[in-house]
Amino acid sequence: MSATAPGFETSSEHRCFGGVVGFYRHDAATTACSMRFAVFVPPQAGSGRVPVLYYLAGLTCTEETFMIKAGAQRVAAELGLMLVAPDTSPRGVTLPGDREAWDFGVGAGYYLDATQAPWDRHYRMESYVTRELPALVEAGFPADPGRRGIFGHSMGGHGALTLALKNPGQYRSVSAFAPIAAASRSPWGRKAFASYLGPDRGQWSAYDATELVLRVPDGPRRPPILIDQGLSDAFLETQLHPRVFEQACAKVGQRLTLRRHEGYDHGYYFISSFIEDHLRHHARLLA
């Protein structure tokens, strides 16, 4: 498949539920470094272009995490959904302090375009995810550019919500697992925003899902949002703030289904338990 595809190299490809899971790398213009991404191509792609669903992973994860741990390929093959998972940050560039903590720097790109040096040259994940990666995928794989969805987990749930809210014409469906739903109130978010975006909190609102929902009260015209949240999540009260996002959605009429689950934590056992519901949510909207 990828031997003649433009712009990227194949690391490995694996047959899976009648389709193919592949891992790829390319030189990215937006991040000025080599980037990695994974794609699951369902069997229906043999007959034409299929809907494409972008998954954004959380802190410390890579492009492999979702494909290995979530158990999504069986249902995606049934529904004819292509799955694309980018890496969570630039890698292979050395910046001061980028490896000193697990919640900042490498593995923690926050799906934003940094404005502060030295991060602004490479940490441009918003542009990468919304522009460069879709162009690459749609040129090299049978992805339908008119049927894109986005979802993610934790930091990636934050990314899915913010990118969907900022680009309503680009994504026809959106969902999240345990997202950082009000990043300006989260210690994780405040730490990242202060370094990537600077001290001006007015700049932070462009990457805070709650602030974005409130900014333009056009909720009924946006895609409905599905969120699943475990009630035994250690980060629920301090980092994630789903209740704040829920209240903001109610205020402006944004359609939201927020499901709370007793006993579930923040990890991939939780995600794998509800991944089928999310894929079916997206398939309905992308049909």
Side-chain angles (χ1 to χ4, degrees):
M1 176 195 305
S2 54
T4 59
F8 59 87
E9 299 176 357
T10 302
S11 298
S12 65
E13 290 183 328
H14 314 273
R15 197 72 175 165
C16 184
F17 290 103
V20 175
V21 173
F23 298 92
Y24 310 96
R25 70 172 71 88
H26 72 114
D27 293 328
T30 48
T31 62
C33 67
S34 177
M35 294 293 294
R36 305 192 307 248
F37 65 100
V39 180
F40 171 68
V41 179
Q44 294 86 341
S47 302
R49 291 189 175 268
V50 295
V52 56
L53 185 53
Y54 290 84
Y55 177 85
L56 308 183
L59 292 166
T60 75
C61 294
T62 72
E63 78 288 352
E64 293 184 321
T65 309
F66 174 75
M67 292 295 178
I68 293 172
K69 291 186 174 183
Q73 291 92 340
R74 177 185 61 81
V75 178
E78 174 194 333
L79 299 173
L81 291 173
M82 182 179 296
L83 304 173
V84 178
D87 201 352
T88 51
S89 78
R91 296 181 194 264
V93 296
T94 302
L95 299 176
D98 67 353
R99 292 168 175 81
E100 293 178 0
W102 64 271
D103 59 351
F104 179 76
V106 173
Y110 274 86
Y111 306 102
L112 54 74
D113 282 355
T115 60
Q116 302 297 300
W119 312 100
D120 55 342
R121 173 166 167 74
H122 300 289
Y123 278 67
R124 302 184 65 240
M125 292 297 292
E126 177 183 18
S127 292
Y128 178 72
V129 169
T130 60
R131 298 205 311 266
E132 186 168 6
L133 182 60
L136 187 72
V137 167
E138 288 156 17
F141 299 88
D144 185 344
R147 292 188 289 168
R148 292 191 196 123
I150 191 166
F151 70 148
H153 168 235
S154 193
M155 177 187 71
H158 141 81
L161 294 176
T162 58
L163 297 183
L165 291 167
K166 293 173 75 172
N167 301 276
Q170 182 163 342
Y171 302 106
R172 287 173 49 181
S173 61
V174 57
S175 71
F177 296 93
I180 304 172
S184 298
R185 305 187 187 202
S186 163
W188 286 338
R190 291 197 298 266
K191 178 179 180 178
F193 288 176
S195 293
Y196 293 144
L197 303 173
D200 181 3
R201 287 177 173 257
Q203 302 299 314
W204 297 8
S205 63
Y207 296 104
D208 184 309
T210 296
E211 295 295 329
L212 286 169
V213 162
L214 293 171
R215 181 178 295 179
V216 182
D218 62 351
R221 296 194 296 276
R222 295 182 181 135
I225 298 171
L226 170 64
I227 293 177
D228 277 302
Q229 176 63 60
L231 293 181
S232 293
D233 190 322
F235 307 113
L236 175 57
E237 298 299 331
T238 57
Q239 302 283 7
L240 306 180
H241 302 294
R243 186 180 300 108
V244 176
F245 184 72
E246 183 179 39
Q247 292 168 348
C249 288
K251 184 174 182 178
V252 299
Q254 168 64 50
R255 293 167 291 172
L256 170 68
T257 300
L258 173 54
R259 308 192 305 182
R260 297 171 170 90
H261 304 280
E262 292 284 351
Y264 285 89
D265 61 21
H266 196 69
Y268 270 81
Y269 295 118
F270 159 61
I271 293 172
S272 63
S273 297
F274 301 104
I275 188 67
E276 180 169 351
D277 293 349
H278 283 247
L279 294 180
R280 294 192 183 282
H281 164 82
H282 288 276
R284 286 192 296 271
L285 294 170
L286 298 175

